Each structure stands twice: as C-alpha cells, then as structure tokens.
Amino acid sequence: MAVRTKLVAGNWKMNGLRADGAALARGLAKRAIAAAHAGPRCELLVCPPASLLTTVAGALAGSGIALGGQDCHATAKGAYTGDISPEMLADAGCSHVILGHSERRHGHGEGDAAVREKVLGAWRAGLVAILCVGETQVQRQAGQASDIVAAQLAGSVPNGAAADNLVVAYEPVWAIGTGLTATLDDIATMHAAVRARIPAGARILYGGSVNPQNAADILGLAEVDGALVGGASLDAESFWTIARCCA
Ligand code: PGA
C-alpha cells in the first residue's frame, strides 16, 4: 500500500487582521524554512480568511506551506454578493479549499447537494477539496454517527473523486471548538468506514479540538492521514508542535 503523506491544515476561521495574519504566517514560514531538512514529515496548509489570502501568500513564499480557502461558491463568477469563487481562490494562490465545514452546514444551511456543487467548482479551478463530514452529539448518542457520515459522503462526493483532488476531514460536530475529542477507537473506526467509501489513496484528516497535547496520539493512528486544526492553528508554536507529531 502506498504511504499517504500526512497533511496538517490550519483553519483560521474568521480570525485575524492583516498584521496578525502576516505575523502568524511569518512565524510558520520561519520554522518551516529553518527545519527544511529535519522538519515535520507532513504537508502543511493554512486556510486564512479571504481578506488575508494575499498577505499570507506573500509571507509563506518559499516556505513550502500551502494556502487554502475556507469555503467557495460553486460558480466561477457572477452576481453572488459576498461570495468568492474557486477561480478567485486559485488566483490568490490557493491550492486547497475547505468545503462543507459544519459551521457552513449548520450556520448557513448548506446541504450535501450544495456542497457537492462546490466540490465540482473547486475541481474546475484546479483546487483540492477538503470535504468535511461529521455527526452531531445527538446523532452520535442515537447510534447514527456512521450512517450520517456515510450519507454525507454519498451526497457530497461527486463522480471523479480521486486521491489527488479530494481530502476528507472527519470532524465530529460536538468536538469542534469544545475541547472534547472523539476517542482514539471511535476515530479509527470512523476513518476505516470513510476509507471504504472514498477513492484509494485519498487522505482522511481528523478534526475537532486537536491540540499539542493530543496530536501525537491522534496522528499516530494508522487510519489518520493528518489533522484539520482550528483554535490551535492560531498560534505558530502550537500549530508547529502539532505538525511535528507526524512521525
Ligand atoms: P477546532 O476546530 O480545532 O477549534 O476544534 C476544528 C475545525 O473546525 O476545523
């Protein structure tokens, strides 16, 4: 079986003004460049708010750290006030875009069909889609977690998915920003279930309160191909410490 290089992605969410974003990106770039030969054995990606993409792209230049968006519209251009297109993200230097994050699904009413269209838009622009799936606390307690995740994958992964255009992020909704994490057993079980439903070689990240204390255990699981990190990605040292947990 081919080894899947782990991917550690920072989701900055709606945080940071230009000075903050530039400082955080410079802090990461400095560490990545200094550790070029002995650094973390993983790919690194940061997903800042749209207003910071250009600033962060500049600060990351030459570091090998990739840039991603946090969401996009499905369409290339048009009368969609407030939206950003996949082509605009690519033009700003992005290689990836997070899609179907629970804060979009639950906060903005995005369903699987809409997410699926966005994935197709991302591919049209040459972006890798980081597709988020995950159950709520109520769904897990009702024993529905794997059915919910299976349904999200069935509804939002288009034909044409491949190891080089799709990353799945399993993020239990109840673990996001709460300090709660799924047990290692539950993570391994869910990742194995996801693995059976996506193209061979596609990576599966875990997300939900990943931090420097729990990252080694989570990233040490064979079924975990990386992490999608929210709060702990807003500090260069803590994000770097997480990345270094990739053995
Ligand atoms: P968190 O966020 O690490 O702050 O829980 C993860 C995410 O929402 O992607």
Side-chain angles (χ1 to χ4, degrees):
M1 192 182 72
V3 176
R4 297 179 298 269
T5 306
K6 291 191 199 283
L7 171 67
V8 176
N11 175 8
W12 294 4
K13 308 194 179 185
M14 196 174 74
N15 291 293
L17 303 181
R18 274 184 303 164
D20 312 310
L24 177 50
R26 275 198 305 269
L28 293 172
K30 191 181 72 186
R31 287 169 173 80
I33 290 166
H37 300 294
R41 293 196 193 87
C42 64
E43 290 169 23
L44 288 174
L45 168 71
V46 294
C47 302
S51 59
L52 300 186
L53 285 172
T54 309
T55 302
V56 171
L60 293 178
S63 70
I65 301 174
L67 187 68
Q70 298 178 7
D71 180 47
C72 66
H73 197 275
T75 306
K77 62 178 180 173
Y80 302 103
T81 303
D83 280 312
I84 190 162
S85 77
E87 281 77 1
M88 290 168 178
L89 292 178
D91 188 49
C94 293
S95 52
H96 294 68
V97 59
I98 299 169
L99 294 172
H101 190 281
S102 74
E103 286 152 16
R104 303 295 314 176
R105 290 179 184 266
H106 297 279
H108 295 261
E110 286 183 13
D112 290 326
V115 174
R116 185 178 176 285
E117 291 306 309
K118 292 181 178 208
V119 173
L120 288 168
W123 291 349
R124 183 189 61 239
L127 300 174
V128 176
I130 301 182
L131 172 68
C132 302
V133 294
E135 81 286 356
T136 64
Q137 181 79 284
V138 170
Q139 290 164 338
R140 175 157 285 271
Q141 280 163 353
Q144 298 166 344
S146 50
D147 287 349
I148 292 291
V149 168
Q152 289 171 336
L153 290 170
S156 50
V157 178
N159 290 336
D164 63 355
N165 65 17
L166 181 75
V167 173
V168 172
Y170 168 55
E171 299 204 301
V173 177
W174 49 271
I176 295 175
T178 57
L180 303 172
T181 45
T183 65
L184 296 177
D185 275 355
D186 285 344
I187 295 172
T189 302
M190 186 64 85
H191 279 225
V194 171
R195 170 93 42 228
R197 295 173 186 278
I198 61 172
R203 290 181 285 191
I204 308 170
L205 316 183
Y206 172 78
S209 298
V210 176
N211 62 40
Q213 287 73 44
N214 61 27
D217 285 342
I218 293 170
L219 289 165
L221 293 171
E223 278 299 334
V224 172
D225 303 317
L228 183 53
V229 185
S233 73
L234 294 174
D235 176 77
E237 188 55 31
S238 82
F239 188 62
W240 188 252
T241 304
I242 291 167
R244 283 169 52 101
C245 292
C246 294

